[in-house]
């Protein structure tokens, strides 16, 4: 019998299977249980709301079809969620604003819902109305929480809901798929989007501003202040009526026409959505709809936001989740918005609202100070939005750096498509304010503009809209300050103006060139708008002088503004010339902090920066792929207010070096003037 040889086989060691977020970032491994717990919590809530998959989140988030005032085949029906109410009447133009039995709602048995059915002639299009709500120990007039049209009386300044039943808007572009590779956002505000000293309208914006955005090369507009808000100067962030498009800018149909026209021109439209808090107003808002201040909001210490003078939603209540998810679906379906930029996400994530927190290490994101209800809501909101529209765009405005915010839900993330790169504007403010020009370090600049998580896409931007407000300064104002008023006419620029013009372009180019998702600009900043924003208020005599955009400045070819605007347009064109620019690797070619020179490559584009305020370099060499290169953009071009020192018509050929033959690289030698940047394209 043959001898059987025994072999010893090493047992196979199975690597532990981690959730995707941890696979992508092993430093998160100590917190995997918390990440998995948040993911499981969202799955549990989805199953609960969809009855274990028997329905969908889309079905669940249809509250706006049930609540509010609606025309039916038999007349009108009004419904409201008000669990603590004892009586609800509709009062308005139709009954001389007095309680009558005809307009008295009934509680739907066993629920917190109230219902009122009316004949077709009981109310008519255009009528103003409110609820008169009674509760134990009190009563008051209220605007319905689900009202889809709210208007303000010009004389009394009082807000009322309005019966709204026009001919349905006929969409010209019935379906739209955004082409946003990369995503280039023009952030804007309808009311201040015109030259005149007044509140602008949706129609004026469509006719006068949208064509500028299209010409400039942006492929998405992000509109602020859409949800109705009592105080114009709140920038739209103290919302009272979440389902009502602000009537101070026009009608819902005019907003739809603006969005429709944008879509016809290939422009996506997203809105700033505010689900992080609500205005405290009781008559106009949700502050005390029916005698319970906590109906929509957290009780106790979590009730009010300590810094914003507003109320914080209770994301642990299914009825509140229903309200907010329905709000997301409403704007997508009714107005064809292409997505949302969620405001104040940091405030939602933490019980502290992020105030006084340092966020120095990963432990700060998993220390039990996070609002798991809000995290669950944000995850559900992203699931819903992409269920309603798979091409929708969601962006998180979040400053703490919470890992996984813009990672896939399946990987344990929250499902946002992008997060704001809020470190970048902070970096530019600090640099301009605190660092002398000769000490700007390319290594530091390069780190900041591309510092992000590998599994999360970001929106890069140089400055926020907050910097344009009174009390702060935009980049152009920090660079030039009052000299903008006296030295921004062509031929009359002083050294301060020339410096500002040069650095404004370079800052934008290096920020936009390093994106991994998208780029954002606030309305007017592309051409260095000189005035801050100051909404009408008692302190300025209720003036609209600074609550507008002076397009005449960029249109005036005798002034310097158009140089900056022209450069911005050409910069976007160059970025769009490289297919899927945002996905191409950012490959550093060279940096030298002593020379203040930086160079990097993306695809066939080479970006070269000389941040030195005084030193120009001749035949400065960079190792690049062998070939020839043409200049496609130069910040120093006379077309953009530069000196025009270089001859950009020359094709640059690489110089052979036997040391780098195997690397297929040769020396590209350039003349790079002080305080300038150039982009070359490989032929």
């Amino acid at each position: 019998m043959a001898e059987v040889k025994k072999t010893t086989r090493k047992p196979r060691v199975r690597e532990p299977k981690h959730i995707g977020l941890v696979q992508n970032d092993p430093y998160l491994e100590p917190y995997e249980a918390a990440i998995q717990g948040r993911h499981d919590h969202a799955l549990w809530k989805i199953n609960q709301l969809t009855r274990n998959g028997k329905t969908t989140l889309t079905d669940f988030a249809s509250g706006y079809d049930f609540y509010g005032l609606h025309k039916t085949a038999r007349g009108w029906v009004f419904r409201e969620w008000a669990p603590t109410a004892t009586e609800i009447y509709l009062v308005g133009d139709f009954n001389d604003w007095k309680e009558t039995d005809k307009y008295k709602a009934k509680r739907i048995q066993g629920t917190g819902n109230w219902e009122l059915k009316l004949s077709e002639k009981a109310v008519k299009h255009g009528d103003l109305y409110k609820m008169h709500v009674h509760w134990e120990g009190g009563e008051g007039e209220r605007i319905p929480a689900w009202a889809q049209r709210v208007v303000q009386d010009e004389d009394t300044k009082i807000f009322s809901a309005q019966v709204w039943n026009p001919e349905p808007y006929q969409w010209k572009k019935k379906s739209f798929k955004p082409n946003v590779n990369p995503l280039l956002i023009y952030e804007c505000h309808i009311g201040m989007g015109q030259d005149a000293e007044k509140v602008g309208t949706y129609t004026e914006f469509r006719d006068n501003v949208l064509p500028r955005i299209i010409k400039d090369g942006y492929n998405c507009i992000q509109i602020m202040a859409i949800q109705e808000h009592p105080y114009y100067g709140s920038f739209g962030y103290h919302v009272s009526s979440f389902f009502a498009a602000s009537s101070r800018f026009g009608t819902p149909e005019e907003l739809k026409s603006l969005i429709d026209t944008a879509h016809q021109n290939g422009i996506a439209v997203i809105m700033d959505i505010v689900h992080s808090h609500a205005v405290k107003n009781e008559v106009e808002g949700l502050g005390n709809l029916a005698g319970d201040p906590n109906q929509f909001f957290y009780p106790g210490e979590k009730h009010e936001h300590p810094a914003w003078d507003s109320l914080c939603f209770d994301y642990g209540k299914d009825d509140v989740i229903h309200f907010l998810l329905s709000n997301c679906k409403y704007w997508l379906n009714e107005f064809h918005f292409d997505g949302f930029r969620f405001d104040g996400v940091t405030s939602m994530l933490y019980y502290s609202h992020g105030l006084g927190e340092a966020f120095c290490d990963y432990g700060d994101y998993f220390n039990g100070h996070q609002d798991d209800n809000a995290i669950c809501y944000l995850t559900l909101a992203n699931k819903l939005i992409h269920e309603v529209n798979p091409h929708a765009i969601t962006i998180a405005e979040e400053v703490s750096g919470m890992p996984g915010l813009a990672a896939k839900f399946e990987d344990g993330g929250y499902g946002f498509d992008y997060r704001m790169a809020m470190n970048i504007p902070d970096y530019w403010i600090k640099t301009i304010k605190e660092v002398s020009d000769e000490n700007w370090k390319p290594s530091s600049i390069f780190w900041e503009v591309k510092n992000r998580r590998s599994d999360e896409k970001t929106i890069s931007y140089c400055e926020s809209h907050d910097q344009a407000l009174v009390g702060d300064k935009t980049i152009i104002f920090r660079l030039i300050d009052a000299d903008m008023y006296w030295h921004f006419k062509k031929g009359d620029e002083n050294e301060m103006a020339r410096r500002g013009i040069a650095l404004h372009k370079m800052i934008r180019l290096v920020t936009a060139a390093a994106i991994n998702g998208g780029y954002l600009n606030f309305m007017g900043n592309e051409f260095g708008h000189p005035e801050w924003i100051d909404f009408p208020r008692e302190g300025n005599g209720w003036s609209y002088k600074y609550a507008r955009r002076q397009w005449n400045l960029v249109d005036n070819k005798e002034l310097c503004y158009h140089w900056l605007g022209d450069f911005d347009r050409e910069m976007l064109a160059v970025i769009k010339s490289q297919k899927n620019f945002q996905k191409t690797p950012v490959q550093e070619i060279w940096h030298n902090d002593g020379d203040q020179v930086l160079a990097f490559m993306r695809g066939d584009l080479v970006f070269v920066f000389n941040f030195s305020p005084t030193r120009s370099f001749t035949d400065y060499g960079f190792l690049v792929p062998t070939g020839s290169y043409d200049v496609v953009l130069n910040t120093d071009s006379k077309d953009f207010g530069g000196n025009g020192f270089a001859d950009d018509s020359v094709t640059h050929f690489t110089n052979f070096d036997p040391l780098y033959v195997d690397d297929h690289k040769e020396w590209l030698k350039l003349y790079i003037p002080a305080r300038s940047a150039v982009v070359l394209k490989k032929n």
Side-chain angles (χ1 to χ4, degrees):
M1 183 174 177
E3 184 180 354
V4 177
K5 293 184 178 180
K6 293 182 179 180
T7 60
T8 57
R9 183 180 296 174
K10 291 183 179 180
R12 181 183 297 174
V13 178
R14 292 177 179 265
E15 292 291 330
K17 184 174 177 59
H18 295 293
I19 197 167
L21 204 59
V22 178
Q23 289 182 31
N24 294 331
D25 185 353
Y27 287 104
L28 286 172
E29 192 169 334
Y31 312 104
E32 185 163 18
I35 294 168
Q36 186 69 55
R38 292 173 182 177
H39 182 72
D40 292 344
H41 181 201
L43 287 174
W44 169 79
K45 179 57 72 173
I46 290 171
N47 283 333
Q48 177 196 339
L49 300 180
T50 63
R51 292 182 293 154
N52 294 318
K54 293 178 181 177
T55 60
T56 64
L57 278 179
T58 303
D59 297 325
F60 173 76
S62 299
Y64 59 90
D65 283 332
F66 179 79
Y67 294 107
L69 180 65
H70 298 282
K71 185 74 183 297
T72 70
R74 296 183 178 181
W76 297 86
V77 63
F78 171 79
R79 300 186 188 95
E80 185 69 32
W81 174 56
T84 53
T86 56
E87 290 182 325
I88 294 180
Y89 297 84
L90 280 194
V91 296
D93 293 337
F94 39 79
N95 60 6
D96 202 24
W97 296 88
K98 295 177 181 177
E99 294 183 0
T100 57
D101 289 342
K102 178 180 177 181
Y103 295 90
K104 183 178 181 180
K106 295 180 180 179
R107 183 188 286 270
I108 300 176
Q109 189 172 1
T111 73
N113 298 325
W114 295 76
E115 183 178 74
L116 170 63
K117 293 182 179 179
L118 296 166
S119 68
E120 185 174 355
K121 295 182 179 180
V123 298
K124 65 180 185 302
H125 175 69
D127 281 349
L128 302 181
Y129 71 97
K130 291 182 184 179
M131 299 188 300
H132 197 147
V133 186
H134 295 253
W135 58 84
E136 292 293 337
E139 61 181 272
E141 284 191 351
R142 298 289 186 264
I143 292 177
W146 298 77
Q148 296 180 14
R149 173 73 172 166
V150 175
V151 297
Q152 184 180 26
D153 186 277
E154 291 186 9
D155 297 322
T156 65
K157 306 303 180 186
I158 292 174
F159 284 87
S160 302
Q162 187 174 35
V163 179
W164 200 250
N165 186 43
E167 287 294 320
Y169 180 81
Q170 300 299 315
W171 292 89
K172 298 178 179 65
K173 187 78 172 176
K174 292 181 172 57
S175 62
F176 177 74
K177 180 181 178 181
N179 181 13
V180 288
N181 295 311
L183 180 58
L184 302 171
I185 302 173
Y186 197 86
E187 184 184 21
C188 51
H189 184 284
I190 299 297
M192 55 174 284
Q194 79 300 308
D195 265 316
E197 295 183 28
K198 66 181 185 69
V199 177
T201 67
Y202 298 122
T203 299
E204 288 171 333
F205 191 95
R206 180 198 66 193
D207 294 345
N208 302 327
V209 183
L210 182 60
R212 293 178 180 274
I213 299 169
I214 296 167
K215 182 180 177 182
D216 286 347
Y218 292 89
N219 54 29
C220 178
I221 58 175
Q222 176 180 307
I223 310 181
M224 308 173 69
I226 290 296
Q227 295 167 294
E228 191 59 86
H229 45 291
Y231 180 46
Y232 185 47
S234 75
F235 235 150
Y237 291 124
H238 273 195
V239 175
S240 52
S241 295
F242 286 78
F243 290 85
S246 182
S247 62
R248 54 172 57 89
F249 309 135
T251 68
E253 289 66 43
E254 288 165 345
L255 173 56
K256 291 174 183 178
S257 178
L258 162 59
I259 296 169
D260 200 7
T261 304
H263 286 171
Q264 291 175 71
N265 287 276
I267 307 294
V269 186
I270 61 178
M271 67 176 276
D272 259 358
I273 198 165
V274 184
H275 285 177
S276 48
H277 62 135
V279 72
K280 291 169 74 172
N281 300 37
E282 295 186 357
V283 176
E284 296 89 359
L286 307 176
N288 183 11
L289 193 73
D292 179 9
N294 303 322
Q295 180 179 334
F296 286 92
F297 308 106
Y298 276 128
E301 292 182 356
K302 295 191 290 182
H303 186 69
E304 293 190 17
H305 194 293
W308 294 348
D309 191 33
S310 54
L311 304 176
C312 302
F313 283 108
D314 185 344
Y315 306 103
K317 285 185 176 180
D318 287 352
D319 287 296
V320 174
I321 293 177
H322 182 231
F323 181 81
L324 296 175
L325 289 181
S326 296
N327 194 235
C328 295
K329 181 182 171 184
Y330 169 75
W331 292 108
L332 292 171
N333 278 357
E334 184 66 23
F335 287 86
H336 293 197
F337 275 102
D338 299 295
F340 307 99
R341 179 261 205 187
F342 276 74
D343 176 68
V345 170
T346 305
S347 176
M348 300 171 71
L349 294 178
Y350 304 95
Y351 293 131
S352 68
H353 306 292
L355 302 173
E357 302 264 10
F359 302 110
C360 296
D361 57 56
Y362 277 177
D364 294 333
Y365 305 118
F366 304 99
N367 58 10
H369 298 169
Q370 294 74 37
D371 186 340
D372 290 338
N373 293 330
I375 290 172
C376 181
Y377 166 68
L378 289 169
T379 308
L380 265 60
N382 278 292
K383 288 286 287 181
L384 166 78
I385 291 163
H386 293 101
E387 193 175 285
V388 174
N389 179 1
H391 307 298
I393 300 162
T394 59
I395 304 169
E397 188 243 0
E398 206 281 317
V399 72
S400 78
M402 171 67 78
L405 199 66
K408 295 178 181 178
F409 172 71
E410 295 76 15
D411 291 338
Y414 301 175
F416 283 97
D417 296 301
Y418 305 87
R419 64 189 305 158
M420 304 292 289
M422 299 183 75
N423 63 298
I424 297 177
D426 289 344
Y427 172 78
W428 287 124
I429 293 171
K430 186 176 178 64
T431 299
I432 295 170
K433 284 174 64 176
E434 302 177 9
V435 183
S436 61
D437 290 7
E438 59 269 18
N439 288 320
W440 286 28
K441 297 188 185 306
S443 59
S444 174
I445 292 169
F446 194 51
W447 166 258
E448 288 293 343
V449 296
K450 68 181 192 70
N451 178 22
R452 57 237 175 183
R453 301 181 61 80
S454 61
D455 56 349
E456 299 188 52
K457 293 185 292 185
T458 57
I459 302 297
S460 299
Y461 59 124
C462 306
E463 53 194 327
S464 72
H465 58 242
D466 289 334
Q467 291 169 247
L469 293 169
V470 164
D472 208 336
K473 291 183 178 180
T474 59
I475 282 178
I476 199 69
F477 244 126
R478 288 202 179 276
L479 292 170
I480 305 176
D481 217 276
D483 283 3
M484 287 198 72
Y485 295 117
W486 313 109
H487 296 285
F488 235 57
K489 184 175 182 180
K490 286 183 180 179
D492 193 35
E493 312 97 293
N494 61 5
E495 179 55 32
M496 187 69 80
R498 284 190 287 271
R499 168 184 178 264
I501 290 170
L503 288 177
H504 192 270
K505 293 177 289 185
M506 294 182 71
I507 287 169
R508 274 165 161 66
L509 181 59
V510 73
T511 301
I515 60 173
N516 78 324
Y519 174 77
L520 176 142
N521 167 75
F522 177 66
M523 178 173 64
N525 284 351
E526 74 277 10
F527 66 85
H529 197 285
E531 303 289 7
W532 53 78
I533 299 164
D534 189 11
F535 284 99
R537 55 186 173 84
E538 189 174 359
N540 66 13
W542 302 102
S543 170
Y544 288 89
K545 182 177 181 181
Y546 297 110
R548 61 192 179 110
R549 298 282 87 176
Q550 299 179 60
W551 304 108
N552 60 293
L553 296 175
V554 70
D555 292 340
N556 189 338
K557 300 302 182 183
E558 294 182 1
L559 301 178
C560 301
Y561 300 99
H562 88 85
W563 282 334
L564 300 179
D566 292 347
F567 174 79
D568 193 77
R569 181 172 59 252
E570 293 305 314
M571 177 183 76
L572 298 187
V574 167
I575 287 173
K576 290 193 290 186
S577 71
Q578 178 74 49
K579 186 177 180 180
N580 283 327
F581 178 86
Q582 78 287 357
K583 293 182 179 179
T584 59
V586 182
Q587 299 174 308
E588 184 177 5
I589 295 171
W590 173 260
H591 83 261
N592 185 306
D593 286 346
D595 293 341
Q596 294 183 270
V597 172
L598 169 68
F600 58 89
M601 194 166 188
R602 300 196 74 164
D604 291 332
L605 297 175
V606 178
F607 298 85
V608 180
F609 299 84
N610 178 10
F611 286 98
S612 172
T614 56
R615 291 185 296 166
S616 300
F617 298 97
T618 303
D619 290 337
Y620 204 104
F622 306 96
L623 276 171
V624 298
T626 301
S628 63
Y629 294 79
D630 287 325
V631 173
V632 291
L633 187 67
N634 192 337
T635 66
D636 194 48
S637 168
K638 289 186 176 181
D639 291 340
F640 310 131
N643 296 304
F645 285 149
D647 184 356
D648 292 338
S649 65
V650 173
T651 296
H652 297 268
F653 295 90
T654 55
N655 297 295
F656 176 74
D657 188 326
L659 293 176
Y660 299 99
V661 170
D662 292 341
D663 297 328
H664 304 288
K665 289 184 178 181
E666 294 182 345
W667 291 99
L668 176 67
K669 295 191 174 183
L670 301 173
Y671 170 56
I672 42 177
R675 206 178 267 151
S676 74
V678 63
V679 186
L680 303 101
K681 189 177 182 68
K682 187 177 184 295
N683 294 313

